[in-house]
Amino acid sequence: MQRQLTLDMARVYLASRARVRTPLGAGDYLDCSHHYARDIYDKRILIALACLSIYRQLFPDQYARSAAPPFSTQREQEFYRLVHTHCFPLLVDDGEDVLTWIAREPRFFLPFIPIRGLQRYDWFMDGSHVKDFEIPYQLALLLSGALPDDVHTIAGLCFPADFPEPAPPVAAVGWSLFLHACKVHEDSPLRFLPLAFHMVSHKTGNLWLDLPRHVGQAAYAWSPEEVARLTLMRVNADKFDIAVRALHNWFIEDLRARISRVIEIWNDAARKESEAGYGGMTAEDMVAVVAALPR
Amino acid sequence: MGLIKIEGKEVSLPDAIIDAGTSAIRAALSVDFPDVENADIQIVSPTRAGAPKAATVVKRGTGKGSAQREVMESLAAAPEYVNPAIAMAIECMAEETRGDQEAIMRVIRSGAMERAVAEGEREGLAVHKSQVACGHAPPIAARKVPIGF
């Protein structure tokens, strides 16, 4: 019985015929056909076609000027370089980017988009270097109860000698009050302080920041939508970093007074929460309380 | 004054406009009811002497039936077309079968293969979008009220 030629089959056929006419493509084909089933090679070609299609859509000028043979491994690697340079880092291993791998392994290819956490610190593993963190991070760790027990200073200032002892971590209501108190300071970088809390707890909603560095990598399929989404997230991650640095500089201008002010805001939120009888209540508990209110 | 029933409301219009016919009624109503352009207007003769003149305006159905008809007509009118990537693959396979190994090199060097694959992908994506759009059928108002409602 004759098989129907689908679009994917036609694309794979044409691309594979073009690839095997290049030295690296021929090597790929021989390796795959020697070690794996035929469909593995077809899947490899489909990945290459997906990358080249994104290359054509996102970087049309570079694609048109490319001197690499069509459908070749070299052209795929050009695309990786462009994504790595203009969109987001393609980190294959911890500390090794795609450029290193291409230089080391000429037939290197990425079957998926590798995502590795881009936060500069590992909050769990770098605990001993907490004094090197920016002040907003140190404060966020202190107030959320995540500061190592043997650390009793923030930016060189001791507590309770230099600034008040902070209240224990607040629950849902206290956190809402604290957020509100930070956000009312619209003209000061203090409004960025909640961001430091989200960063240390990996809850920013941004994939590049929410993936802890020590947990390895996540993988996403190559598609124009994913590349665009991850690029935007990368831009936002940079903005978060700039915001925290601005806040760090703001603290340095008047260290003692400004840290004390943050502790005051925190303690005030904790006190109000306790007085209202909502101490220790989580967001889920709050939802249940509100649902049970008489209408 | 005559009475026009439109979209469940009654609108008064001078008798002269109703006497002038459907075009005049359409023109008079078009400011407040833009959909009247594509509606059927039926003038009802008064059943008894002295009763006001009346007309009923019923919007034409733009429901699933007509959309389906449009799709079928478009398909029937569409020219014969084979996806360029599939057409080129068939051509290259035939050349290979005939023993012409250089045929593929010729289409690679001329850039025709890249163009065919790119155009084929673009067309494949458009077909996929059309398929998704065809499967998307949100509820719409029907012209007739089903029995029991």
Side-chain angles (χ1 to χ4, degrees):
Chain A
M1 200 177 85
Q2 267 193 330
R3 282 173 70 200
Q4 222 172 13
L5 187 65
T6 63
L7 176 59
D8 272 353
M9 286 160 69
R11 288 164 67 223
V12 167
Y13 169 80
L14 293 171
S16 61
R17 287 297 188 276
R19 273 173 83 92
V20 292
R21 282 163 170 79
T22 63
L24 295 179
D28 259 357
Y29 176 76
L30 291 172
D31 258 8
C32 274
S33 56
H34 185 66
H35 296 293
Y36 310 108
R38 165 79 202 185
D39 64 327
I40 299 290
Y41 181 69
D42 290 353
K43 281 176 186 160
R44 165 76 186 94
I45 299 294
L46 280 171
I47 291 167
L49 281 164
C51 288
L52 295 175
S53 173
I54 306 168
Y55 186 1
R56 209 164 38 234
Q57 290 176 55
L58 298 188
F59 306 101
D61 294 341
Q62 289 91 334
Y63 187 89
R65 284 200 303 269
S66 171
F71 308 108
S72 63
T73 308
Q74 293 96 317
R75 200 171 278 211
E76 262 181 283
Q77 291 173 352
E78 282 178 3
F79 168 66
Y80 300 151
R81 284 194 192 95
L82 287 167
V83 170
H84 182 74
T85 315
H86 299 288
C87 301
F88 46 81
L90 291 172
L91 300 171
V92 184
D93 276 336
D94 198 13
E96 285 195 331
D97 60 26
V98 74
L99 305 180
T100 315
W101 273 87
I102 290 172
R104 187 188 303 159
E105 171 53 64
R107 271 165 48 199
F108 173 78
F109 85 103
L110 282 170
F112 46 75
I113 308 174
I115 315 281
R116 282 184 175 274
L118 291 183
Q119 289 216 29
R120 282 179 292 123
Y121 307 113
D122 193 321
W123 311 112
F124 303 101
M125 313 296 273
D126 296 345
S128 55
H129 305 295
V130 70
K131 287 170 189 162
D132 301 331
F133 298 169
E134 278 81 1
I135 297 167
Y137 295 136
Q138 292 188 41
L139 265 175
L141 290 169
L142 167 71
L143 297 178
S144 55
L147 205 64
D149 293 338
D150 57 338
V151 178
H152 298 285
T153 60
I154 295 293
L157 297 180
C158 297
F159 54 92
D162 295 317
F163 57 87
E165 181 88 31
V170 294
V173 172
W175 175 245
S176 301
L177 292 169
F178 179 70
L179 283 185
H180 179 73
C182 289
K183 283 177 183 168
V184 294
H185 295 83
E186 283 181 4
D187 53 343
S188 111
L190 186 57
R191 65 187 187 279
F192 300 132
L193 185 57
L195 203 55
F197 282 79
H198 296 315
M199 299 271 265
V200 299
S201 56
H202 295 281
K203 285 182 179 168
T204 61
N206 186 312
L207 204 56
W208 297 108
L209 302 174
D210 290 352
L211 198 64
R213 272 173 42 197
H214 65 273
V215 301
Q217 65 179 17
Y220 280 78
W222 284 109
S223 76
E225 294 79 18
E226 287 298 354
V227 172
R229 191 170 71 94
L230 291 169
T231 306
L232 286 177
M233 278 191 179
R234 171 62 205 273
V235 171
N236 283 334
D238 287 347
K239 282 185 187 167
F240 289 176
D241 196 44
I242 291 167
V244 171
R245 280 168 193 265
L247 181 58
H248 172 80
N249 294 336
W250 180 80
F251 274 119
I252 285 177
E253 284 170 14
D254 191 353
L255 204 55
R256 188 186 296 250
R258 286 176 179 173
I259 290 182
S260 298
R261 176 69 189 130
V262 169
I263 303 290
E264 268 174 33
I265 292 173
W266 180 265
N267 288 352
D268 191 42
R271 184 178 53 76
K272 283 177 181 161
E273 180 182 62
S274 174
E275 285 173 1
Y278 292 128
M281 198 171 268
T282 63
E284 288 78 20
D285 296 335
M286 283 302 297
V287 171
V289 167
V290 171
L293 286 175
R295 295 186 187 278
Chain B
M1 296 287 273
L3 276 181
I4 310 291
K5 286 184 183 173
I6 178 167
E7 294 180 8
K9 297 172 193 157
E10 288 192 347
V11 180
S12 299
L13 282 183
D15 286 345
I17 290 181
I18 297 176
D19 289 340
T22 55
S23 320
I25 295 172
R26 208 184 296 279
L29 294 174
S30 62
V31 178
D32 293 325
F33 302 94
D35 291 347
V36 81
E37 293 294 323
N38 297 313
D40 291 326
I41 299 174
Q42 194 180 2
I43 298 171
V44 184
S45 309
T47 50
R48 55 188 170 79
K53 292 180 178 174
T56 309
V57 181
V58 180
K59 277 203 259 178
R60 273 185 215 138
T62 53
K64 291 170 184 172
S66 63
Q68 192 182 18
R69 210 167 36 246
E70 276 176 37
V71 171
M72 296 307 288
E73 283 166 7
S74 301
L75 285 174
E80 285 287 323
Y81 177 80
V82 179
N83 183 293
I86 294 177
M88 176 153 287
I90 291 170
E91 195 183 313
C92 290
M93 283 172 182
E95 296 290 347
E96 268 192 325
T97 311
R98 278 197 287 271
D100 184 358
Q101 296 298 323
E102 281 303 301
I104 287 181
M105 282 311 291
R106 282 197 297 276
V107 291
I108 293 172
R109 284 200 199 105
S110 68
M113 185 185 279
E114 265 188 293
R115 284 195 297 276
V117 171
E119 180 59 21
E121 283 172 357
R122 194 197 58 73
E123 200 253 347
L125 201 63
V127 168
H128 176 70
K129 279 185 183 170
S130 303
Q131 280 175 333
V132 172
C134 286
H136 179 65
I140 54 170
R143 186 175 175 180
K144 292 176 184 171
V145 178
I147 296 167
F149 276 80

